[in-house]
Amino acid sequence: MDITIIGTGNMGRAIATRALAGGHAVTLLGTDKAKAEAVAGDLSGDVRAGAVGDPLTGDVVVLAVWYQALGDVLARYGDQLDGKVVVDITNPVDPATFQPISVEAGSAAQEIAGKAPGAKVAKAFNTTFAGTLVQGEVAGQPLDVLVAADDEEAKRAVSRLAEDAGLRAVDAGPLAHAQQLEGLGYLHMAIQDSLGTGYGSTVKVLA
């Protein structure tokens, strides 16, 4: 697949690492093109860099940005998202207080679906941390990527991205379940201090 990742922070870099490990092509877009080029230069594989605002070329677009930046990204791209699989990885959190933000639509993913109705929106990667994604596993176990979407093509694309990268995709149901996934993502962050794991843990379903 041809994957465009908007965002060059830790999660953008980590998802790019896994996508490239799975043999996919990646374009990294950042607000600072020089940073995007520097991140791309650190990675191996079919990777390119550009600036936010450049045309979207990927079949899959990963929004690896803070929740607060989603409005700007959606405003910039508008109809360019039509027909594309759009992956929302955000957890709506106030960075100043580290408290969850109530989203009128129910979840960030549902908000995106409302603002970009032509997109095939999926919620995924919000319960995984950047450092563990780079490694692809915790304690010898592959990471679980919980995927919620109403569109089956979106689910298949995100599941393929995860599984090609050595992760395990778990069908988390319809996009409405993104609200629960965002709650789980926030809880996973909130317990890091008490666990003392330094964002090195993962959410794993075992049976």
Side-chain angles (χ1 to χ4, degrees), residues 119-152:
K120 302 170 183 178
V121 180
K123 187 77 182 187
F125 294 104
N126 74 296
T127 61
T128 57
F129 296 140
T132 61
L133 273 172
V134 170
Q135 296 301 318
E137 55 88 22
V138 170
Q141 293 279 348
L143 303 188
D144 283 355
V145 178
L146 307 177
V147 185
D150 292 333
D151 186 277
E152 288 303 315

Side-chain angles (χ1 to χ4, degrees), residues 1-202:
M1 295 184 291
D2 189 354
I3 300 166
T4 296
I5 300 174
I6 299 176
T8 55
N10 291 338
M11 283 297 290
R13 179 192 291 264
I15 293 171
T17 300
R18 294 264 53 86
L20 291 165
H24 301 290
V26 171
T27 299
L28 282 164
L29 300 181
T31 53
D32 182 341
K33 185 177 180 180
K35 180 181 177 183
E37 291 172 341
V39 173
D42 289 339
L43 302 174
S44 299
D46 186 358
V47 57
R48 299 170 296 280
V52 174
D54 289 354
L56 297 177
T57 58
D59 311 303
V60 177
V61 179
V62 180
L63 305 181
V65 298
W66 281 90
Y67 169 73
Q68 289 78 1
L70 287 177
D72 178 65
V73 171
L74 296 175
R76 283 175 183 264
Y77 285 107
D79 293 346
Q80 286 191 57
L81 297 172
D82 288 356
K84 294 187 182 295
V85 174
V86 175
V87 186
D88 169 40
I89 75 165
T90 64
N91 288 309
V93 173
D94 184 332
T97 64
F98 199 62
Q99 293 301 306
I101 296 170
S102 178
V103 180
E104 185 176 353
S107 67
Q110 289 167 291
E111 186 176 288
I112 292 167
K115 292 181 177 179
K120 302 170 183 178
V121 180
K123 187 77 182 187
F125 294 104
N126 74 296
T127 61
T128 57
F129 296 140
T132 61
L133 273 172
V134 170
Q135 296 301 318
E137 55 88 22
V138 170
Q141 293 279 348
L143 303 188
D144 283 355
V145 178
L146 307 177
V147 185
D150 292 333
D151 186 277
E152 288 303 315
E153 181 183 344
K155 274 190 184 177
R156 286 193 296 270
V158 179
S159 296
R160 179 184 169 193
L161 168 59
E163 290 169 358
D164 287 353
L167 313 177
R168 185 176 76 154
V170 178
D171 187 339
L175 194 64
H177 288 176
Q179 183 175 14
Q180 284 71 43
L181 291 183
E182 289 172 9
L184 179 59
Y186 171 73
L187 179 62
H188 191 204
M189 291 188 292
I191 62 175
Q192 290 305 297
D193 283 347
S194 61
L195 287 176
T197 45
Y199 293 86
S201 61
T202 193

